[in-house]
Amino acid sequence: MDVYLLTIYATLEQEEAIRELFHRMNWDFKKKEDDGGIRGRITDTDIYAVPYKFISSNVPVGNVYIKRTSIAQLPSCECNPSAENPCSFESSCYNRLMWYECNSATCPSGKKCQNQNFQKKEYPPQEPFQTVNRGLGLRTLVDIKRGQFVNEYVGEIIDNELCLERISQAQQNKCTNFYMLALDKYRVIDARFKGNLSRFINHSCDPNLVTQKWHVNGEDRIGLFALKDIQAGSELTFNYNFDCLGNEKIPCKCRAVDCSGYLGDQPKPLRVSTAKKQSSAPFAAGQNASMQKNTVSYDEEEEGQEEAIDLSSSGKSQQTQPTDPWEVPEILVNITKSALKTLSNLRSNNNKTPAQTVGERVHEREVTQSAENQNEEKNDISLMGSSQNADPSADERCQKTIVHVTRSFEKTFVVTRERERDTTSVTEIESPETTGVLLTEPSQVNSTPVPGSSKLSDSSLATDSPMKPGKSPQQVSALESEILQWFAKLHTPTLEAASQVGISEELSNLIESHRSQAKSTPEALLEKFKTLANTTGNVLVQSHPFQPVVQFTALSTEEDAHPYDTPESCIGAMETCGETQPDETDLYKGIAPSYFSDSSSDSSNNSKSASLNEENQENIPQPLSPTVKVKFTKTKAVKGKASNQINRKRKTSTPIKCSPARKITRKSLDKSVSSPKHSVPLSRKQITTGGDEKGKKRKIQLAVRKVPKISSSKLMASRKSKMEAGKKLKTNILSSDKDSKENTSSETLVQALMNYSQSENKVTTTRYREGDYACSLCGLRFKTEKRYQKHKQLDKCLYECPYCYKVYNVSNYTNYKAHLRVHENNKPFKCDQCPKAFNWEADLKNHKIIHTGLRPYVCKVCLKCFTNPHYMKTHILNMHTGRPKAYLCDICGTGFKLKGNLLDHVRTVHATFRAFPCKQCGKAFKSKSHLIKHVSRHQPVTFPCGQCNKVFVEEKFLEKHKKKHKKAN
Ligand SMILES: C[S@@+](CC[C@H](N)C(=O)[O-])C[C@H]1O[C@@H](n2cnc3c(N)ncnc32)[C@H](O)[C@@H]1O
């Protein structure tokens, strides 16, 4: 059963919530309860079992699409492979600057490349811990440097629809912890059910991490990078940019000096309506969230317009496609809203000022520069960049493009491309405080021309390659004409139709507000946007890779309703506007890559960056040189503050949905402390042993403190010293009996041992202390003579294995017996549920856990669950001890943390002989695991699938297969 139970900090308060989660994990909760499963029974005080699976990479769920790119399409950098650390943080690796990870197949530095953080999963050691007031948090175990890659935000990739579903489920279950982070406009990473350690990172208004969206082998991934130097033991935090949709703000408990007080400083008043209410008084303002919880809508004030978003009409309702969408009022409303949103996005994007948060992609502009418009636009604020072109006349002729300006912690770079010559240059600008100040100082600009890369050529930029630029003017006009059509349609039959379902008031309000803004007609509105586009030149915001900040979010209906959200329309739109249709490799499950720049993730929302925005606006200097310009109209510069406020509003109002915040009272606080919901994972022993509440709490506290910290060096040292002691003893024994040195059979060894114990050397070993009575034969020592005499009366005090000559003394007789089973292959402990048999009872017990579907052995560091304690131990040693890969393969040099792994490697990869023959058919295998797999095929028991004709030799294969059926359904 593919369910992973974990005892973790339940944030859920009701049994129902647990059931819901179990249900989500396809675990038959009831069944387990009846079976008396280990933790199937949930009582009031036993609510800490929440299924959570540790995954190290994102897992797509349902119909969510995955971007695929062929290796040929991946951009390669120009770094020098012979450099000490090619593509490292210190280098100006072209890919790194663009937030692209190199691929070892295409990077000139190959495996030496240092720009593969995501792929190599190189995280500094970190651990979850219990915070005082914010549930669990994550802290670092080592010092982290500014700019260092800390972790990847990993979880299930879900689409908007499922996201909404999960949110509403969580709301119903009064779950207050959210783990959703927008990946792009269509997809969300939800780490609630599956994730890695990053899911425990809390919010702070003064964070030490920042999220960055990177392009890794064609797919977007979210990384967390250090904003500052972080000391070992400090909590890791980032700014959620959390947008509250509840009628109560979620209090922020980050304790930062400039804490905004709430998660997200722009909480929105919540309005709630049910489907019924919607028909009678839709979008009616002033309703309280507490009245209805199923359907949530909120007011979004944007530039004086009011938009109401109804989650209930999202997702599913759009699935049922009407024959003529123009006839369905609800769709029309959604389309209108989408149109409004698109237009406002267009505006906001064009209004964008350079973002300033350190470590963020600063901004991106495509600038067309010509001699005429330099003079025309006197009020423009110029961005001084470098030009590789020394000839000014050529400069004027050439169309230059600033691909983007990026500030990568210590450095700021301007990446420019010259289309005609197909050259690209990266210009590093010395430590500026603000882009404005920096750009007034042309002398400070060091130009580093980079030869044109075919991978970054125009053609690649114009198509669906990762270097895809923003919307072209044609695309914008195609968009505009579509918007115009929507408005035209909305004017006539729609209002009437809408009024029939009682939405006319809201609709007309929406249209009216836009109408008044756009001089009454949609055409005028469109005209306005055209003018806007013209006045900002061709400054258009690009889609990825330039979407810096990612937010904890749930997506809003209005975005869902956007026609471009559907793959068909997206592709259609691309065709209309002349953009090359994406390659099929990019369209997994038929959905096109992001077309619009993502408003939900296009900007930094924290108050700091907003204030920096303001600062920069004020600092924007007059142009000094016309070489390369990014145009802003003066009006925008003057309006900087206001527009930033609007931007900030928009940013904070970007789609985030969380359940209405629960009011925290003294009582609930006390309850939360006394209840075990903030407990840390307990060992199975702790779970199964009963005990009073107090004892339980104590155990929990202990478990919190006793996060295992195993020093690898200590471990290695102790092992080494033991091995050396053993070797020494052996040599001592043999050297004391020089005649038998050649013959090292166990018989000789026993004899030598006997001689040795009788010799004077014996006092040197710890086994023999003065005053003890030692048996000269087996080496056992006794405190009293009586016991020694009793021992001497035994017929035999040493037992030698007849198969391998291993010797046991009498005190280890049971071990000797057990050891014999290894050779006799009796396997007396048989599983009653499957054909497996074991030599030891403990092994059978451990095995039986597999049939319960539980994984009760929990790694206290990363919460990964295991069926077997040995697996857990190995995992801890491998993953959390920073253990070096000390076992090196002599043949290929690969390092391994465990000796067993090295042996396996040598056997399977390099060895030519097959040391593990099958006794039944004679086929031989290189490794034991391969043999075991093979032997299971001889088993008469098979596992047929109930849904199709397939039959499997192992249960796990059947389980895997069943998942396919589930997915297909
Ligand atoms: C991604 S989870 C973080 C881990 C979470 N603390 C846990 O115990 O699993 C996000 C949730 O943690 C809580 N949280 C995080 N930061 C917070 C803060 N500064 N103040 C209050 N609650 C916070 C909120 O309930 C939020 O929904």
Side-chain angles (χ1 to χ4, degrees):
M1 189 78 66
D2 192 22
V3 171
Y4 306 91
L5 275 188
L6 172 62
T7 318
I8 67 165
Y9 344 88
T11 48
L12 305 181
E13 295 179 348
Q14 294 179 341
E15 184 176 336
E16 199 46 48
I18 306 279
R19 284 173 192 280
E20 177 260 309
L21 290 169
F22 282 175
H23 173 71
R24 269 223 25 77
M25 300 297 285
N26 297 320
W27 191 55
D28 189 349
F29 175 79
K30 202 78 201 127
K31 186 170 172 285
K32 289 290 156 217
E33 198 172 356
D34 296 340
D35 289 350
I38 294 178
R39 278 170 291 138
R41 241 182 67 76
I42 291 181
T43 64
D44 286 349
T45 55
D46 184 23
I47 319 180
Y48 25 78
V50 178
Y52 152 71
K53 186 180 172 186
F54 183 92
I55 48 169
S56 51
S57 307
N58 287 329
V59 176
V61 174
N63 288 331
V64 81
Y65 65 94
I66 295 291
K67 289 184 200 164
R68 300 263 160 90
T69 311
S70 69
I71 285 200
Q73 281 182 313
L74 296 175
S76 71
C77 63
E78 308 277 336
C79 292
N80 180 4
S82 55
E84 201 183 330
N85 288 315
C87 312
S88 68
F89 179 61
E90 289 80 25
S91 75
S92 44
C93 167
Y94 201 89
N95 273 348
R96 184 178 270 275
L97 293 177
M98 309 284 281
W99 293 5
Y100 277 76
E101 269 211 352
C102 295
N103 182 296
S104 49
T106 55
C107 180
S109 314
K111 283 190 177 171
K112 248 182 99 186
C113 165
Q114 305 272 308
N115 180 27
Q116 294 178 24
N117 288 325
F118 285 82
Q119 292 161 77
K120 290 183 180 166
K121 304 191 192 304
E122 290 168 336
Y123 318 132
Q126 39 203 273
E127 66 176 11
F129 72 105
Q130 184 73 47
T131 65
V132 181
N133 54 2
R134 287 158 296 131
L136 284 169
L138 190 70
R139 67 182 164 207
T140 169
L141 296 173
V142 291
D143 288 350
I144 294 176
K145 274 192 189 159
R146 185 171 185 248
Q148 198 178 322
F149 177 64
V150 176
N151 212 328
E152 182 187 350
Y153 197 86
V154 165
E156 290 177 294
I157 305 187
I158 56 174
D159 58 10
N160 302 350
E161 199 185 316
L162 185 55
C163 175
L164 291 171
E165 232 170 69
R166 287 189 178 184
I167 286 169
S168 86
Q169 270 176 8
Q171 282 177 335
Q172 282 163 22
N173 294 321
K174 294 182 183 161
C175 176
T176 54
N177 273 2
F178 284 83
Y179 301 86
M180 287 156 175
L181 200 58
L183 181 58
D184 54 34
K185 197 169 177 178
Y186 313 98
R187 300 173 301 164
V188 172
I189 300 180
D190 184 5
R192 183 195 287 179
F193 303 109
K194 294 179 183 179
N196 68 1
L197 286 190
S198 65
R199 73 191 288 284
F200 297 113
I201 303 179
N202 283 320
H203 159 89
S204 172
C205 298
D206 180 18
N208 50 22
L209 302 181
V210 68
T211 50
Q212 292 181 357
K213 187 151 78 178
W214 279 61
H215 223 69
V216 185
N217 294 334
E219 178 57 295
D220 296 335
R221 282 159 77 166
I222 296 170
L224 292 146
F225 293 79
L227 267 176
K228 38 184 147 183
D229 290 344
I230 308 171
Q231 275 190 349
S234 312
E235 182 177 359
L236 298 167
T237 55
F238 69 96
N239 194 324
Y240 287 179
N241 302 310
F242 203 87
D243 202 7
C244 175
L245 288 183
N247 59 344
E248 282 180 69
K249 300 167 182 176
I250 297 182
C252 176
K253 299 165 192 162
C254 72
R255 294 186 189 174
V257 182
D258 54 351
C259 173
S260 65
Y262 298 94
L263 254 64
D265 56 354
Q266 298 280 321
K268 300 286 169 294
L270 180 78
R271 294 188 321 182
V272 177
S273 58
T274 58
K276 269 187 185 173
K277 281 207 169 113
Q278 198 183 348
S279 58
S280 58
F283 310 117
Q287 289 174 9
N288 195 304
S290 56
M291 290 161 64
Q292 303 291 339
K293 283 178 184 167
N294 299 341
T295 321
V296 185
S297 63
Y298 71 95
D299 286 341
E300 187 181 48
E301 244 185 77
E302 240 176 46
E303 298 173 45
Q305 300 146 22
E306 197 182 58
E307 282 185 55
I309 292 153
D310 186 359
L311 297 189
S312 68
S313 65
S314 71
K316 279 181 180 167
S317 63
Q318 288 166 43
Q319 272 184 338
T320 48
Q321 285 293 318
T323 38
D324 181 3
W326 297 110
E327 299 304 321
V328 183
E330 288 93 329
I331 289 182
L332 283 169
V333 174
N334 279 338
I335 290 172
T336 316
K337 282 188 281 179
S338 300
L340 301 182
K341 183 76 186 172
T342 311
L343 292 173
S344 65
N345 274 352
L346 202 68
R347 269 203 215 130
S348 71
N349 289 339
N350 283 337
N351 278 342
K352 254 191 187 171
T353 56
Q356 278 81 24
T357 307
V358 176
E360 267 173 30
R361 183 71 50 188
V362 181
H363 62 180
E364 57 284 344
R365 300 277 188 260
E366 190 170 303
V367 184
T368 310
Q369 185 208 353
S370 68
E372 309 101 75
N373 59 26
Q374 277 167 29
N375 298 327
E376 261 174 33
E377 310 259 352
K378 284 183 185 154
N379 293 327
D380 281 1
I381 289 147
S382 296
L383 177 74
M384 266 288 299
S386 70
S387 164
Q388 312 172 228
N389 200 335
D391 174 13
S393 57
D395 232 47
E396 280 166 25
R397 281 198 312 273
C398 284
Q399 204 185 43
K400 279 203 192 64
T401 304
I402 292 185
V403 179
H404 76 281
V405 179
T406 178
R407 188 179 296 178
S408 177
F409 296 92
E410 301 299 345
K411 302 166 184 175
T412 300
F413 299 89
V414 180
V415 184
T416 53
R417 281 192 330 105
E418 204 175 289
R419 284 179 191 239
E420 279 183 17
R421 295 175 184 199
D422 190 23
T423 56
T424 309
S425 73
V426 182
T427 308
E428 183 189 334
I429 302 159
E430 280 175 7
S431 58
E433 259 331 288
T434 62
T435 317
V437 172
L438 138 91
L439 296 166
T440 58
E441 303 288 346
S443 58
Q444 289 184 357
V445 178
N446 306 321
S447 176
T448 321
V450 174
S453 157
S454 59
K455 297 272 166 55
L456 297 172
S457 66
D458 275 359
S459 57
S460 70
L461 284 171
T463 60
D464 58 331
S465 82
M467 299 291 295
K468 191 164 69 180
K471 291 184 277 293
S472 67
Q474 294 95 316
Q475 288 172 305
V476 177
S477 62
L479 224 159
E480 284 165 344
S481 63
E482 278 208 44
I483 293 167
L484 177 65
Q485 275 177 24
W486 295 337
F487 274 85
K489 282 276 182 185
L490 280 168
H491 266 293
T492 41
T494 335
L495 273 175
E496 259 178 60
S499 67
Q500 285 169 13
V501 287
I503 54 169
S504 61
E505 197 187 316
E506 188 67 22
L507 185 62
S508 55
N509 279 346
L510 286 169
I511 295 170
E512 271 311 315
S513 70
H514 273 265
R515 213 184 250 171
S516 58
Q517 264 202 354
K519 296 178 192 152
S520 305
T521 62
E523 289 82 357
L525 185 67
L526 184 68
E527 208 48 52
K528 194 178 166 186
F529 290 121
K530 277 185 177 163
T531 325
L532 191 78
N534 286 337
T535 49
T536 50
N538 293 322
V539 178
L540 298 170
V541 174
Q542 300 178 349
S543 56
H544 193 76
F546 309 114
Q547 299 162 354
V549 170
V550 199
Q551 289 181 306
F552 264 102
T553 189
L555 300 171
S556 73
T557 321
E558 56 178 352
E559 299 222 16
D560 294 343
H562 199 287
Y564 283 81
D565 282 1
T566 63
E568 298 78 17
S569 54
C570 190
I571 296 165
M574 285 174 164
E575 280 166 349
T576 330
C577 59
E579 181 166 330
T580 319
Q581 197 171 316
D583 192 288
E584 260 181 26
T585 48
D586 269 355
L587 300 175
Y588 188 64
K589 299 202 175 165
I591 299 181
S594 173
Y595 182 73
F596 289 114
S597 70
D598 182 1
S599 68
S600 70
S601 57
D602 63 358
S603 53
S604 159
N605 305 357
N606 65 36
S607 51
K608 276 192 174 168
S609 74
S611 68
L612 267 165
N613 267 352
E614 284 162 20
E615 266 172 40
N616 280 351
Q617 281 295 312
E618 281 156 15
N619 286 337
I620 291 170
Q622 289 303 309
L624 280 188
S625 159
T627 353
V628 181
K629 285 174 91 183
V630 171
K631 285 165 253 164
F632 297 100
T633 59
K634 191 180 180 185
T635 40
K636 273 184 198 141
V638 173
K639 280 180 185 169
K641 242 179 183 167
S643 74
N644 270 320
Q645 274 167 5
I646 292 163
N647 275 349
R648 206 174 347 163
K649 268 190 183 177
R650 184 175 293 117
K651 286 162 196 167
T652 47
S653 65
T654 37
I656 277 283
K657 293 167 187 67
C658 66
S659 63
R662 202 163 42 86
K663 203 169 181 178
I664 297 176
T665 59
R666 182 79 238 163
K667 210 174 157 188
S668 68
L669 207 69
D670 288 346
K671 206 177 147 196
S672 74
V673 172
S674 63
S675 77
K677 67 176 183 168
H678 291 303
S679 66
V680 296
L682 303 178
S683 68
R684 192 167 62 140
K685 206 173 158 194
Q686 283 168 320
I687 295 156
T688 44
T689 48
D692 60 335
E693 268 309 289
K694 214 174 164 187
K696 218 174 208 175
K697 254 200 277 176
R698 172 90 188 118
K699 272 178 193 164
I700 291 161
Q701 280 165 5
L702 282 176
V704 175
R705 282 189 214 124
K706 282 187 185 170
V707 174
K709 279 179 191 159
I710 302 154
S711 147
S712 61
S713 52
K714 262 188 190 172
L715 202 92
M716 296 290 284
S718 87
R719 278 196 171 185
K720 216 174 159 187
S721 66
K722 272 183 196 170
M723 269 165 63
E724 273 167 8
K727 269 184 197 168
K728 212 172 160 186
L729 185 68
K730 199 172 161 184
T731 22
N732 281 346
I733 293 167
L734 291 172
S735 59
S736 69
D737 191 357
K738 286 194 179 86
D739 301 337
S740 59
K741 212 173 183 182
E742 298 303 306
N743 185 0
T744 51
S745 75
S746 67
E747 239 169 78
T748 334
L749 260 175
V750 172
Q751 192 54 48
L753 184 67
M754 281 165 66
N755 298 344
Y756 179 75
S757 62
Q758 284 157 3
S759 75
E760 281 175 1
N761 287 346
K762 65 179 181 182
V763 278
T764 55
T765 68
T766 49
R767 287 184 73 85
Y768 301 93
R769 286 190 204 136
E770 262 185 45
D772 280 357
Y773 296 85
C775 169
S776 56
L777 197 63
C778 67
L780 276 181
R781 62 187 171 87
F782 305 89
K783 287 267 178 216
T784 59
E785 195 185 349
K786 200 177 161 192
R787 284 189 186 173
Y788 173 61
Q789 291 302 341
K790 205 175 166 191
H791 174 79
K792 271 189 107 184
Q793 283 165 16
L794 293 173
D795 294 342
K796 208 175 172 187
C797 68
L798 267 183
Y799 294 86
E800 191 187 38
C801 168
Y803 302 96
C804 69
Y805 309 113
K806 206 173 172 182
V807 182
Y808 292 82
N809 64 33
V810 68
S811 68
N812 286 333
Y813 182 72
T814 38
N815 289 357
Y816 164 70
K817 277 286 181 203
H819 170 80
L820 288 183
R821 282 185 222 140
V822 175
H823 302 288
E824 286 161 1
N825 210 13
N826 285 337
K827 298 198 174 175
F829 299 100
K830 296 202 165 41
C831 175
D832 48 9
Q833 291 176 57
C834 76
K836 285 203 168 169
F838 300 87
N839 283 323
W840 288 275
E841 196 179 357
D843 279 358
L844 174 64
K845 262 188 192 171
N846 282 334
H847 161 80
K848 276 189 168 179
I849 292 168
I850 293 172
H851 297 295
T852 65
L854 299 174
R855 291 177 170 244
Y857 298 96
V858 181
C859 164
K860 285 178 187 170
V861 184
C862 70
L863 311 180
K864 195 171 176 177
C865 311
F866 299 88
T867 52
N868 189 308
H870 305 300
Y871 299 161
M872 186 187 73
K873 270 184 198 165
T874 318
H875 159 82
I876 290 174
L877 285 174
N878 278 340
M879 307 300 291
H880 304 303
T881 56
R883 193 181 208 182
K885 290 185 174 175
Y887 297 97
L888 297 179
C889 171
D890 288 341
I891 304 161
C892 66
T894 317
F896 297 89
K897 287 186 176 175
L898 297 180
K899 197 177 170 185
N901 292 354
L902 171 62
L903 287 175
D904 266 358
H905 162 81
V906 175
R907 270 189 212 129
T908 50
V909 179
H910 303 299
T912 46
F913 59 90
R914 295 170 180 266
F916 300 91
C918 169
K919 283 178 188 167
Q920 293 180 51
C921 68
K923 200 173 173 185
F925 297 87
K926 282 183 177 178
S927 84
K928 197 175 174 185
S929 59
H930 291 176
L931 171 66
I932 292 170
K933 252 186 199 170
H934 165 83
V935 168
S936 68
R937 288 164 203 260
H938 289 299
Q939 303 286 358
V941 181
T942 50
F943 300 87
C945 169
Q947 294 176 56
C948 66
N949 295 333
K950 285 196 170 174
V951 177
F952 298 87
V953 287
E954 280 185 49
E955 194 182 5
K956 68 178 177 191
F957 296 147
L958 173 65
E959 290 301 329
K960 213 173 173 185
H961 168 77
K962 274 183 181 173
K963 274 184 197 166
K964 279 185 194 166
H965 282 302
K966 250 179 219 168
K967 257 190 186 176
N969 294 335

